[in-house]
Amino acid sequence: RLTWEQAKAVYYTRYWIAGKCYQLPPRMAVLHFDGCVNHGIARANKFLQQAAGVTADGIIGPITLAKIKTLPIMPLLSSVCDQRVQYYKAIVASKPSQAKYLNGWLRRITEMRAYVTNPKNTFV
């Protein structure tokens, strides 16, 4: 029974702020926010850290943020998306009963990848 305003506040606080999305380049911020909501903050942080080539401890700190600033954004976005795809496939491999969700999960990643890598989309 959340109002729209209450729901926005929950997502903003629990995912945008907690995931430090506001400290990332805009395209990555959008993808990382989606990852925080869908995978949890620590796992989404690890995907980002692995893509950046830093220790994947699940905590976004100054080392991760500094490294991200030195990397080209498109390969970084692609790497995070690829890791998310592999994660979903691993879920199904270990729990075949989850296969019914796989197409939806993969569609979400495909759509996110297309959105954040589309040069026509501007992010502020």
Side-chain angles (χ1 to χ4, degrees), residues 18-38:
K20 298 191 179 177
C21 301
Y22 63 96
Q23 293 183 326
L24 299 171
R27 290 177 189 278
M28 181 52 71
V30 170
L31 181 62
H32 188 61
F33 174 74
D34 183 70
C36 288
V37 170
N38 284 279

Side-chain angles (χ1 to χ4, degrees), residues 70-84:
T70 71
L71 299 171
I73 191 69
M74 293 302 178
L76 191 63
L77 294 167
S78 243
S79 178
V80 170
C81 289
D82 292 346
Q83 288 178 69
R84 290 177 66 182

